[in-house]
Structures are given as C-alpha cells and as structure tokens.
Amino acid sequence: MPMKRLKTKKTATKKAPAKKAPAEKTEAKTTAAQVDVTVRMFCQGLGDCFLITIPQADVRPYSILIDFGVALGTPSADIIMKQTAVKIAELTQGTIDLLILSHEHWDHVSGYVLAADKLKNMKKTKKLTFKHLWVAWTEKDGDPLADVLRKEFNKAKTALTRAFDSAAGLKGVDDTSVRRLQALNGVLAFYGLGAANSGGSVADAMKLPHELVDEANNKAAVDYLRPGTCVALPGAIGAAASIQAFVLGPPYDRAKLRRLNPSTKGDEAYEKTKGDLPGVAFNWSWMASAFGEKPGLAPLVDDADKVVDASLPFDEEVGISINAAKGDPRFASYYSDAPADAVRRIDNDWLWAGAQRLALKMDNYTNNTCLVLAFELPKSKQVLLFPADAQAGNWLSWHDQKYDTKDGRQLSAADLLAKTILYKVGHHGSHNATLKKQGLELMTHPDLVAMLPVEADGVARLRYGQMPLQSLMKALREKTDGRILRIDDTWTNNKAPGTWKKQGLSASLSSEQITVGPKGKTSKRPLYMELTLRDE
C-alpha cells in the first residue's frame, strides 16, 4: 500500500522563509540544557541502514552510519542505494565520522557494492569524507580465534558451492529440483558466492569501507572491537565526545557463537525452536554420499584419509562412484537422469537435505557474529541499542561480562537494557533474534521506541515466513505503547504510530520519497523515518 506524502506548510509572506519538513531540519546547536540526537532509518527495503547525527556546537554534526544494505532481489536496488548515498552526504554535510559494519550479510552491506562507483566518486571529489570504521574482532586477520573460525566458515562455503555444482547436474530430474536449485543459487549469492547474479559479492562489500577510510595508509582508522569494552566516538567533540559506546557482542567464545537458537525450555525467546544447530561444521557422511569420491572431499578436511574414509557410506572396495555408475550399462539402465527413473534415486533428496541444512547453519552462524553496540547518552544515560541480527548465544553472552565506563561506573547488560530508549529490532523481527527474559523484558524505559527495518514485500519474495514474529510484535506494542517505526508502515495524517508523551521525543517522515516495488506495481515511500531524542 503506498505511503502518503508528507505535506509541508506554505509561507504566508515573502519575508518568512518556508519551513522545512521535520525530517529535513538543520541540526540543533549544542547547549548546556539540550542536545538532540537524531536517528534516521532508511526505507530502502528489507535491510539495515541507519544514520545517527549528534550536534557538535557550531560545527557540523557528528555522523555515524550503521550498515548500508538491502536484501537480494530488491527491485531497483542500485538506484535506491545511490539515492540513499547522496542523501547521506547531504545530511552529514559531507563527512561520515564513523562507519560501522555489523556483519557480512548482503542485506546489511550490499550498498557498498550497489553504490560503489557513487561512493568512490564522492570520496574522490571530496563530496563525502569517511573518517573511521568499526568492525567486530571476527574480521581481524591474525586474531587466533578469528582465523580458526574463518577457516571453518570458508570450508563450509566450499562445501555449499560443491553441493550447488552437484545439484546443477540434477536440475533436469524434476521440477522440485529446479526450484531448489534456484533457492540454493540465491543462498550462494547471499554469501558472496553468486557474484554473477548480484553484480558483486559480500566480500567486495566488506572491503570497500576499509578502502573508504584508507586503512592501507592509516591503520588507526579501523578498530576491531571486542566485547565487554567501552569506547568513545573517535574524533568527536562537544556533547558527542561524552557519548560512550559499549561493545556487547559478538562473544569471544566459540561455544557461545555456536549457540544459535533459543532454548526449548523456559521463556528464553518469543517462539521456541527445536534445538540448536552445532555451528558451521557440516555432516561429512552427507558430503561423502553426495560427492562419493575421496579426491573431491580431501581438500575440505585436514586429516583427509581418516575423516573421509570414515564418512563414506560404503568401503571403497565395494562402492562405485556416480560417474562410474553412469558408464556401467546395468546401473545406467536403472539410475539414469531421465525423469522416469527419478523415483529410483536418493542422491537428489539426500543432496538437498544436506545443502539446505548447511545453508541454514551458515546463515544463523553469521548472524551470531554481529557487532552489537549500545550507545549511552551523557546526561540522561539513555541507551540506543543496535544488535544487528544477533541470535541467542550473542544475546546471552552480554550478561557474562561487566562494562567499566569512562566516568568510573560499572554496568551490567541488565543496566544497559533498562535504560534503553531505542531498540533497533534484531534481525527484522525474526523468531531467534530477540530474547525474552534476558532481552526485551529487561527494557523497562517508559518511553521505549522500536525501529523495525522490515518490509512485507521483501519477506514474501524471499519466503521468510512469519517475519516479524507475531508474538514478538505483540510484546513490542505493549512495551512501547505502540511506538514501533516500521519502514513499510503507512502513517495516518503523517502521525507516527503509538502514544508519544515525552517532551523532546518525536518521529517524522522525510519529504523526499523513493519508488519501491516491481515494475508495474510500484509505489512511493519516504526515503527515511526520523527519530529525535533529547538528552536531558
């Protein structure tokens, strides 16, 4: 349903300049009594892109860009992300002080591929300067645990790619295989393995911010953050310099990173799931059965002979490879690629079962490696919480550490959650990315606002099912008194949903709009939603 355009007031005389729409206002100057922090959630589609601006006395605002992406397959994604980039340059007065990459998922970083030329050109012409970059410790080369995890994950990518290659040989067997092949191809692209479909990879997107801040010539421009630390905003002055950022996750712990889904016991989350997946390791028996030959499996494991031999469903002496079977008249007459013989084969279903499970593990594991930040405002101590797509193990780990502030206090995760006034809803409201008792129920601020980057069209296109989760939405409405800002919502009379009582807390829509939706079914939507919070 198209969103209504934000109306602006006409000037009564030529002497009085026209007032700008609320979301286009000039940043307020810093005073002793009032500091307005502005958080803009861009409405580019299913994906995260948030811009925080903080006034700095009589100079330009301090600007923080958290993620810059949109989901795979979004119509006109490149056009929208370039338009977003131009607007960000305008809103920041040409300088982004801090770029933050939460994790390597396409819907969080794809803008760095889709608008790469635009960003590079703005940097070259000095229309947009990039000062500093924050990423999680998991991205740091040379970190012992990060290196091990990266090696394991790369093996999983290789396994999934090989599953795709094998599946391609089965695509003519039946219609179901064709659909599954398309779905798996989408997963590959999502992880940066489908560059031909997306025009670039996740790896490309993760590299560009490092280039934009010129890490090669200025190592100090990038921080690889570990959990449990409290850091200041680099280069900030005035009120912005007093904001403290607490690094909650990802945990520096392999076991917690593998804790992907909420427990089936108790009230850990708003929807229970059937157990946890054991990290990104994969089933070697599936791999052996799917590919059938030791030479093809050996590169994926360190101790090849021991692991591969143990994983093969039959001893090599009595087994026969798929290729050899195709060349044997007796086998070929029963197990050909002809549709009529499909019922005799199990390699099709066996292959898909393993590939789909591996893809799910990789997806959930990547979410758990999210960089999670809580920004504390200096005067009110109100907290802005940005958990990206963090899942159960990440959330639970926040409570295992204390946070020493720069002004001599020691806080717990519960303390930070109790003071949270803005919650960027985790993973677009999915079932495994907002904990209950150790998460949302601890957010007791009476003026809590939720920002939810979810779009019904994107969810339906990607077949994500119930996103956002209905039980979570019910809890959010109760917690926020209806103050949920969702990117595809239509506001009645341009009024933000919910009850807004706190002075200095308000939301508005940008007057600038974007065109969304597939050809022939397009509609208009505000470019972003804006939340203003007063620190007093």
Side-chain angles (χ1 to χ4, degrees):
M1 182 175 182
M3 300 187 72
K4 296 181 179 179
R5 188 177 179 84
L6 182 64
K7 297 180 180 178
T8 55
K9 297 180 180 178
K10 295 181 179 180
T11 53
T13 67
K14 292 184 178 180
K15 293 182 180 180
K19 292 183 180 180
K20 294 182 179 180
E24 306 288 343
K25 63 180 179 295
T26 303
E27 299 295 332
K29 291 185 178 181
T30 302
T31 67
Q34 172 184 325
V35 173
D36 288 341
V37 176
T38 303
V39 182
R40 296 178 177 92
M41 175 175 67
F42 284 84
C43 304
Q44 76 284 10
L46 184 63
D48 276 23
C49 180
F50 289 84
L51 177 66
I52 304 174
T53 50
I54 309 151
Q56 298 187 107
D58 293 322
V59 300
R60 60 171 176 77
Y62 190 93
S63 301
I64 305 170
L65 181 62
I66 304 177
D67 288 339
F68 185 59
V70 68
L72 194 70
T74 300
S76 304
D78 55 338
I79 296 173
I80 293 173
M81 295 312 294
K82 288 174 184 177
Q83 185 177 352
T84 300
V86 171
K87 192 63 183 180
I88 287 172
E90 177 187 331
L91 293 168
T92 62
Q93 298 180 29
T95 300
I96 297 178
D97 294 277
L98 178 59
L99 287 173
I100 296 174
L101 293 180
S102 67
H103 63 300
E104 54 175 324
H105 263 169
W106 187 256
D107 61 326
H108 287 252
V109 298
S110 58
Y112 292 111
V113 167
L114 299 169
D117 291 342
K118 175 69 71 175
L119 293 170
K120 291 177 182 178
N121 184 62
M122 286 195 290
K123 173 181 168 63
K124 182 179 180 180
T125 58
K126 298 184 179 180
K127 291 182 179 179
L128 187 57
T129 301
F130 306 86
K131 294 286 190 179
H132 210 90
L133 172 65
W134 281 357
V135 291
W137 63 268
T138 50
E139 303 300 320
K140 186 174 180 60
D141 289 332
D143 182 287
L145 182 54
D147 288 345
V148 169
L149 296 174
R150 194 176 301 112
K151 183 178 180 181
E152 291 179 354
F153 197 74
N154 286 337
K155 286 183 178 181
K157 283 184 179 180
T158 301
L160 193 58
T161 303
R162 292 191 178 184
F164 175 80
D165 291 340
S166 292
L170 300 172
K171 64 182 180 180
V173 173
D174 54 54
D175 292 339
T176 300
S177 291
V178 174
R179 292 193 297 271
R180 287 170 171 173
L181 187 66
Q182 291 171 342
L184 188 54
N185 186 39
V187 172
L188 291 172
F190 193 73
Y191 286 101
L193 303 174
N197 295 325
S198 62
S201 70
V202 171
D204 294 332
M206 294 293 285
K207 288 177 183 176
L208 183 57
H210 291 263
E211 297 174 12
L212 294 176
V213 300
D214 197 19
E215 181 182 19
N217 297 309
N218 181 17
K219 298 296 184 185
V222 181
D223 284 325
Y224 296 85
L225 302 180
R226 281 206 186 191
T229 56
C230 175
V231 289
L233 301 180
I237 61 174
S242 299
I243 290 178
Q244 302 185 80
F246 299 94
V247 185
L248 278 63
Y252 197 81
D253 184 296
R254 175 195 289 267
K256 291 186 176 68
L257 287 173
R258 290 183 173 183
R259 180 78 151 77
L260 304 177
N261 288 320
S263 171
T264 57
K265 298 179 180 179
D267 292 322
E268 199 166 274
Y270 289 92
E271 181 176 280
K272 298 178 178 62
T273 57
K274 295 181 179 180
D276 293 316
L277 298 170
V280 297
F282 41 90
N283 187 321
W284 284 107
S285 296
W286 162 69
M287 288 290 291
S289 297
F291 305 122
E293 297 179 348
K294 185 187 295 186
L297 292 170
L300 297 177
V301 62
D302 296 325
D303 193 352
D305 288 337
K306 180 178 179 181
V307 176
V308 176
D309 285 343
S311 299
L312 291 171
F314 305 104
D315 287 340
E316 283 191 291
E317 292 77 8
V318 297
I320 183 171
S321 71
I322 293 176
N323 288 333
K326 286 181 178 179
D328 185 296
R330 183 167 59 90
F331 276 95
S333 65
Y334 285 98
Y335 304 105
S336 72
D337 288 335
D341 293 331
V343 70
R344 296 190 177 98
R345 303 180 59 142
I346 65 168
D347 52 339
N348 190 353
D349 290 335
W350 182 241
L351 178 63
W352 289 122
Q356 288 172 332
R357 183 171 173 80
L358 176 57
L360 179 61
K361 290 180 185 178
M362 291 172 64
D363 179 43
N364 289 336
Y365 173 80
T366 304
N367 284 337
N368 231 19
T369 62
C370 284
L371 177 62
V372 179
L373 296 167
F375 298 92
E376 184 192 64
L377 303 184
K379 192 170 184 179
S380 64
K381 307 307 180 188
Q382 296 173 140
V383 170
L384 317 180
L385 177 61
F386 287 84
D389 291 350
Q391 295 189 197
N394 199 324
W395 279 75
L396 292 170
S397 71
W398 308 347
H399 298 275
D400 297 336
Q401 54 206 9
K402 296 294 182 180
Y403 305 88
D404 294 320
T405 71
K406 296 186 178 299
D407 53 353
R409 295 171 292 141
Q410 187 178 77
L411 303 177
S412 65
D415 295 328
L416 292 170
L417 290 170
K419 297 292 286 183
T420 295
I421 191 170
L422 169 61
Y423 171 42
K424 196 293 294 188
V425 181
H427 199 207
H428 321 292
S430 72
H431 72 279
N432 52 11
T434 297
L435 289 197
K436 188 175 182 180
K437 284 191 173 181
Q438 291 183 279
L440 186 57
E441 288 189 355
L442 295 176
M443 299 183 202
T444 55
H445 196 294
D447 299 296
L448 178 67
V449 178
M451 283 184 136
L452 178 56
V454 72
E455 175 194 59
D457 288 348
V459 171
R461 184 182 67 252
L462 296 170
R463 299 180 181 180
Y464 281 163
Q466 192 180 131
M467 180 187 281
L469 186 70
Q470 292 179 8
S471 58
L472 172 60
M473 289 299 292
K474 181 177 182 294
L476 283 170
R477 282 190 290 271
E478 293 172 353
K479 277 285 185 180
T480 64
D481 205 4
R483 294 181 297 273
I484 302 175
L485 307 182
R486 172 174 167 162
I487 67 171
D488 60 352
D489 267 354
T490 300
W491 293 9
T492 303
N493 297 323
N494 297 314
K495 184 179 183 298
T499 302
W500 300 74
K501 296 180 179 179
K502 181 179 173 59
Q503 186 176 4
L505 182 68
S506 62
S508 57
L509 303 172
S510 70
S511 58
E512 186 171 348
Q513 296 189 320
I514 53 175
T515 301
V516 297
K519 187 176 181 180
K521 296 182 180 180
T522 60
S523 60
K524 293 289 186 179
R525 177 189 298 167
L527 178 58
Y528 57 85
M529 294 180 175
E530 175 180 293
L531 179 71
T532 300
L533 308 99
R534 184 167 299 164
D535 183 31
E536 60 180 11

